[in-house]
Amino acid sequence: MSRKTKALDATTTADAGRAMGTAEETLKCPVCQDFFTDPVTLPCGHDFCLTCIQAVWETDGPNEGPLFCPECQAHALLHQQRSALREHTLVDVTEDPLSLKCREHREERKLFCMEDRVPVCCLCVLKSAADFRERLSDKYSRIRFVLDGDERLMMQIIDAEETYMTEWLEAQRGIVEDQIKEIDKLRASSRSLLQETNDLQFLQQITTQNRCDPLDLKPIQKVDKDLCDKEKLRTVEKLVDDLSVALSQHFPRMWSYLSSPVLDSNTAHPKVEISQDRKQVYWRQQPVSEALNQQPYDSQYSVMTQESFTTGQHYWEVIVQDKPYWLIGVTTGPIDKKDGPSPNSSRLCVNNTSWCIYYGDGQYLVCHDTQEKQLSVGKRCTEPLYLILNPCIDVNGLNRQPLTILWIKDP
């Protein structure tokens, strides 16, 4: 047996041992720490030996004494002793503990669905998103089915017109070819006749071949307008144009202009931190004494994006979660990237060519040129614009959440 096989066997044995240990723990009474003897289940769902729970309750009968659960009491005591758990809300044990959990996923229902007005679990939310994805995919499939069917119909009409026109032209070409052959034959016989030197034989051949009569050739038909009428094709084209106009009224979507720039660490203030994928900016942890002396909305703690925009239509989305303070805006600079990051390298709203939206104390404000004012959309900027993010200072752990640029992945 190789070392690799032995190691695999040892790992498998260890996993099996842990699984067996876990299974044994579930078969042991929390009071005596031994296998159950006459096990009973309390309304909260915890199991005990009959004699053990009676001893805890200090009663000999099943219906006497304070019917409390030692496991639930220990858990409640833990919430009182640990500071991190003191803010948790404790509820009384119901007769059906599973009523607090999702019946489908067996997970706690910690969220509330505003549409259905019922509590749901996290898996229900994910399943709801999956249902939306499936429904949207089905709707797009139906749209593609209708468009594909319309395209097939129009192409079939064009193909039918082309087939009939081709057949008619082939028939006319056959007639013309037969006439050409007949003319060539007549020309050959006429050339032979002209070479006859005997006058009597010449007259006899003319009479025999009816050369005195005019030629009886079928006239070449003109092109049938009904077979090659372009109005039919123009009608088909107009139907397609009408469909295109109807669809173009809803396209392109707003999300077609969604930009997903990345953050430029060279412009980040030293007190903010950029994620590895350069899509998130955090407030770097600072000493409490230092953080208390700073305003949470200070505009200097920012970072710019690497990309800039000079022309075209662009927009971006930033996930702010439940941050109580944040700043999002655009700026033209000036920034000297050669000197590296500095405390003033990414200040926001310090000139008349930068704008931002500030959220703080539950209010939204538009800031421009170091002042809070209404943003004028009439001015046009000719310099490159950079997206700039400011996560704002974290005080007492209330503003630790990052600002995240929404990123749509390519399929």
Side-chain angles (χ1 to χ4, degrees):
M1 181 182 297
S2 64
R3 293 183 180 179
K4 184 176 181 180
T5 305
K6 289 182 179 179
L8 180 61
D9 293 342
T11 303
T12 305
T13 304
D15 293 340
R18 285 194 294 269
M20 183 176 296
T22 304
E24 290 181 355
E25 291 296 328
T26 59
L27 298 177
K28 290 184 178 181
C29 174
V31 177
C32 65
Q33 297 298 316
D34 202 351
F35 292 103
F36 287 112
T37 302
D38 296 331
V40 294
T41 303
L42 300 186
C44 60
H46 292 126
D47 300 321
F48 301 91
C49 296
L50 177 60
T51 55
C52 291
I53 193 61
Q54 288 178 346
V56 172
W57 291 340
E58 296 180 354
T59 176
D60 295 331
N63 298 323
E64 299 178 7
L67 303 181
F68 64 91
C69 173
E71 289 287 283
C72 294
Q73 193 177 51
H75 185 79
L77 183 61
L78 188 64
H79 277 264
Q80 298 175 2
Q81 294 175 346
R82 294 187 179 181
S83 58
L85 303 178
R86 289 175 184 172
E87 297 182 359
H88 289 186
T89 302
L90 300 178
V91 297
D92 295 332
V93 178
T94 63
E95 295 183 359
D96 183 13
L98 294 180
S99 62
L100 301 176
K101 295 185 177 182
C102 173
R103 295 185 179 274
E104 181 178 358
H105 305 112
R106 298 299 182 183
E107 295 286 337
E108 292 187 29
R109 296 184 292 181
K110 299 181 179 180
L111 305 175
F112 189 80
C113 178
M114 298 298 295
E115 181 178 355
D116 298 331
R117 313 298 297 179
V118 293
V120 294
C121 71
C122 296
L123 294 180
C124 288
V125 176
L126 295 177
K127 184 177 183 297
S128 177
D131 292 340
F132 270 106
R133 178 189 297 272
E134 184 178 354
R135 290 203 299 270
L136 286 178
S137 178
D138 180 64
K139 292 179 184 294
Y140 274 110
S141 297
R142 295 181 182 180
I143 294 174
R144 282 191 290 269
F145 179 79
V146 172
L147 291 178
D148 291 343
D150 187 77
E151 181 182 3
R152 285 194 303 269
L153 175 60
M154 297 306 168
M155 293 299 105
Q156 287 172 352
I157 293 175
I158 299 298
D159 291 341
E161 291 292 328
E162 184 179 6
T163 298
Y164 291 129
M165 291 172 62
T166 302
E167 291 179 353
W168 183 85
L169 290 175
E170 288 291 338
Q172 295 302 313
R173 187 177 67 175
I175 296 174
V176 172
E177 289 178 349
D178 291 341
Q179 291 181 353
I180 292 175
K181 291 179 180 179
E182 187 174 350
I183 293 174
D184 290 341
K185 183 180 178 181
L186 180 60
R187 182 195 300 174
S189 61
S190 297
R191 186 181 298 114
S192 175
L193 182 60
L194 292 174
Q195 294 176 355
E196 180 62 48
T197 59
N198 190 311
D199 294 340
L200 181 60
Q201 291 183 359
F202 175 79
L203 294 174
Q204 290 178 348
Q205 291 181 12
I206 289 179
T207 304
T208 304
Q209 298 177 9
N210 297 323
R211 295 301 174 86
C212 295
D213 299 332
L215 295 178
D216 185 16
L217 297 178
K218 295 182 179 178
I220 299 177
Q221 296 185 9
K222 296 181 179 180
V223 177
D224 192 343
K225 292 184 179 181
D226 293 336
L227 291 177
C228 61
D229 189 359
K230 292 184 179 180
E231 288 302 320
K232 289 185 178 180
L233 304 184
R234 292 193 182 98
T235 300
V236 172
E237 186 176 11
K238 185 178 183 304
L239 291 175
V240 178
D241 290 340
D242 293 342
L243 178 61
S244 177
V245 171
L247 293 177
S248 62
Q249 295 177 357
H250 305 282
F251 292 98
R253 306 285 195 188
M254 178 185 65
W255 284 303
S256 301
Y257 303 109
L258 178 63
S259 301
S260 301
V262 295
L263 301 176
D264 186 358
S265 58
N266 293 328
T267 65
H269 190 277
K271 292 186 179 181
V272 298
E273 184 174 349
I274 309 301
S275 62
Q276 291 185 353
D277 58 9
R278 297 189 294 169
K279 301 173 186 174
Q280 293 182 330
V281 55
Y282 300 80
W283 170 255
R284 184 171 296 180
Q285 190 67 27
Q286 304 290 332
V288 177
S289 58
E290 181 180 349
L292 291 176
N293 295 328
Q294 299 167 340
Q295 294 294 329
Y297 52 82
D298 197 321
S299 63
Q300 66 175 322
Y301 304 114
S302 307
V303 59
M304 291 171 49
T305 55
Q306 182 174 345
E307 297 88 344
S308 63
F309 306 98
T310 56
T311 60
Q313 185 174 355
H314 307 274
Y315 97 98
W316 44 83
E317 295 187 9
V318 179
I319 302 173
V320 300
Q321 298 188 23
D322 53 352
K323 290 175 64 63
Y325 302 100
W326 50 261
L327 282 161
I328 299 173
V330 293
T331 183
T332 60
I335 290 179
D336 189 359
K337 298 184 179 180
K338 297 180 181 179
D339 298 334
S342 64
N344 296 322
S345 64
S346 58
R347 288 184 62 88
L348 183 62
C349 301
V350 296
N351 53 43
N352 59 3
T353 58
S354 60
W355 306 264
C356 80
I357 298 176
Y358 165 64
Y359 177 78
D361 299 327
Q363 296 181 343
Y364 295 90
L365 295 175
V366 177
C367 302
H368 173 55
D369 198 11
T370 70
Q371 297 181 6
E372 298 174 356
K373 59 175 66 174
Q374 184 177 1
L375 177 62
S376 175
V377 297
K379 297 180 180 179
R380 297 191 61 181
C381 181
T382 58
E383 301 180 52
L385 287 177
Y386 297 83
L387 169 63
I388 189 166
L389 305 180
N390 185 333
C392 291
I393 294 174
D394 172 41
V395 180
N396 298 329
L398 300 178
N399 200 33
R400 294 179 181 175
Q401 304 91 331
L403 290 178
T404 306
I405 299 176
L406 180 65
W407 190 277
I408 296 181
K409 298 181 180 178
D410 292 332

